[in-house]
Amino acid sequence: MNATSASTLRQALPVGPAALVVAHPGHELRVHGWLERARPRVFVLTDGSGRTTASRLPSTATVVRGAGATCGPIFGRFSDAAFYRAILNHRYSVFTGLAGELARALVDDDIHCVVGDAAEGYNPTHDVCRLVIDAAVRMATWIDKKPVENFAFNLVGRPDQPGGDVSDAVSLSLDEAALARKLRVARRYAEMAGEVTAALNAWGVDAFGKEYFQRVGDFAQVRDPKVPPQYEQYGEKRVDAGTYTHVIRYHEHVLPLSEVLQRTGDGSR
């Protein structure tokens, strides 16, 4: 790491033990520069199998180890299908238990900073991951009586632009060598080949040389969308096509879970 990169990291995110929490394996590619520098404990909620039985966890484990980071105790705990069913069936205990386990891991590892998926209305698993993170951070802060900094990164849209208010965003600029390593690792991730190619074609190589992290407040409850979120629109098309039998909806499924996790995260109750 050169002096410029080290200085940028100190300005961007707190120094100290860190954790990365993502919904699906492969999300770590978006923040590979930070992954190399912070060497966090990595938590992955699902195995990334989608509608198949093929897990992406081995590929992500290789990325994590190659960056000098470590895999946490929650690493592909659920298949994507099982996670969806838990949301659809209002199995709140699955998610409150997950938040509690994550909170304990943050305390045990003396984590100072958590980075994880943003809630973008694109995929319900991403949004629920953010809710679990926020509840766990709040619980860990209450248990350990010291703050844990909380940051989100976007998975949709340009990677070199903040996903919200720029005043609440911090960035990490990668040098040429770090960007080259990031691209090499992404291109070797076979199961993500289509997504990687599409992203590079859309935004260009240089856009991946900057990583943005949005500071998250006490509990970033998923906001009520003015129009149905993208995952509802996608789900409806899949139901019409006969691929899905039910649609995960914001008001019916995600909002009630958000409210439960918000109460769970308040350790004083």
Side-chain angles (χ1 to χ4, degrees):
M1 185 194 308
N2 64 27
T4 300
S5 298
S7 175
T8 303
L9 177 60
R10 284 195 294 272
Q11 293 171 15
L13 293 170
V15 174
L20 174 66
V21 185
V22 295
H24 295 125
H27 291 188
E28 71 283 352
L29 297 174
R30 190 83 166 198
V31 291
H32 186 267
W34 176 79
L35 186 74
E36 282 190 321
R37 290 159 173 75
R39 298 186 177 184
R41 192 85 149 140
V42 179
F43 300 81
V44 184
L45 302 190
T46 73
D47 63 4
S49 56
R51 296 189 301 277
T52 73
T53 58
S55 169
R56 299 202 304 252
L57 286 172
S59 293
T60 280
T62 297
V63 174
V64 170
R65 289 193 297 267
T70 58
C71 300
I74 301 170
F75 200 79
R77 177 68 55 82
F78 305 93
S79 68
D80 286 313
F83 204 87
Y84 281 4
R85 286 195 299 270
I87 298 172
L88 278 167
N89 295 329
H90 303 284
R91 293 178 58 200
Y92 300 140
S93 62
V94 169
F95 305 103
T96 57
L98 194 59
E101 185 178 350
L102 178 58
R104 176 51 61 186
L106 298 180
V107 171
D108 289 346
D109 289 343
D110 192 29
I111 298 298
H112 296 183
C113 171
V114 177
V115 168
D117 293 350
E120 301 173 272
Y122 175 75
N123 183 303
T125 303
H126 302 182
D127 287 12
V128 170
C129 178
R130 170 46 50 189
L131 296 173
V132 169
I133 294 169
D134 293 346
V137 167
R138 180 185 278 191
M139 292 168 68
T141 299
W142 183 81
I143 293 168
D144 216 26
K145 308 302 181 189
K146 65 181 181 182
V148 177
E149 301 242 33
N150 189 3
F151 294 87
F153 65 93
N154 285 354
L155 291 154
V156 180
R158 289 192 65 90
D160 57 347
Q161 293 180 357
D165 187 346
V166 68
S167 65
D168 288 331
V170 292
S171 65
L172 173 63
S173 296
L174 309 188
D175 59 28
E176 290 184 8
L179 176 57
R181 289 193 300 272
K182 180 177 184 176
L183 295 173
R184 183 167 61 249
V185 168
R187 286 166 172 152
R188 287 178 177 174
Y189 199 120
E191 299 92 334
M192 297 289 291
E195 289 89 338
V196 169
T197 299
L200 290 172
N201 288 342
W203 312 123
V205 168
D206 291 344
F208 292 87
K210 179 166 282 191
E211 297 173 354
Y212 269 98
F213 306 85
Q214 203 78 27
R215 191 179 299 276
V216 178
D218 180 49
F219 190 94
Q221 181 169 329
V222 177
R223 297 174 183 171
D224 192 347
K226 295 180 180 179
V227 297
Q230 190 168 344
Y231 59 76
E232 280 195 32
Q233 300 174 52
Y234 178 81
E236 288 169 354
K237 292 178 181 178
R238 289 295 181 176
V239 168
D240 290 343
T243 306
Y244 291 175
T245 56
H246 298 89
V247 179
I248 293 177
R249 299 192 181 279
Y250 170 81
H251 285 101
E252 184 179 350
H253 304 103
V254 177
L255 178 59
L257 175 56
S258 173
E259 292 168 344
V260 168
L261 282 169
Q262 187 168 14
R263 292 194 298 271
T264 301
D266 187 349
S268 64
R269 297 187 181 184

